[in-house]
Amino acid sequence: MTETSRPQFFSFIPRGNDDFERRASVWGDISFGPELEGTALAEAQRKAVVAFGGGHLHLPADALDRMPNLKLIVSRGVGYDGYDLEALKKRGIRLTNTPGVLSEDAADYALTLLFSLVRRVPLGDRYVRERRWTRRE
């Protein structure tokens, strides 16, 4: 990387989050893997210093061979089961994730489902959608 060049980022996540793209582009040039193929994909992977993925991403050791300059993987999710941790350690690549980021949301969702069952919301919803009520004049 020359003094005037910017770090190269590679995203395994498809384009679609404008805020993510805007923030990442402040620090470097980002390529979106799902949009690339052939030599363009190979070149973007080869140049990448930082890669963005998610907890669902499966990134085996052989995929890392195509990314010789990679120093950091930012996993935008809780899980990291799909990453070969030994291969990352061997190559000196750091991995970040976001543990606990969804804990409150999961708890809120669980309580919402519980309340909807106690209050019989699904039954009422079906009753209304099937137009099974009688009209009073």
Side-chain angles (χ1 to χ4, degrees), residues 84-114:
D84 186 332
L85 300 181
E86 286 301 316
L88 293 176
K89 186 175 181 179
K90 180 180 170 185
R91 290 169 170 82
I93 300 170
R94 294 188 179 253
L95 171 66
T96 67
N97 70 332
T98 55
V101 72
L102 300 175
S103 298
E104 286 186 30
D105 291 330
D108 288 348
Y109 191 64
L111 286 173
T112 300
L113 288 174
L114 180 63

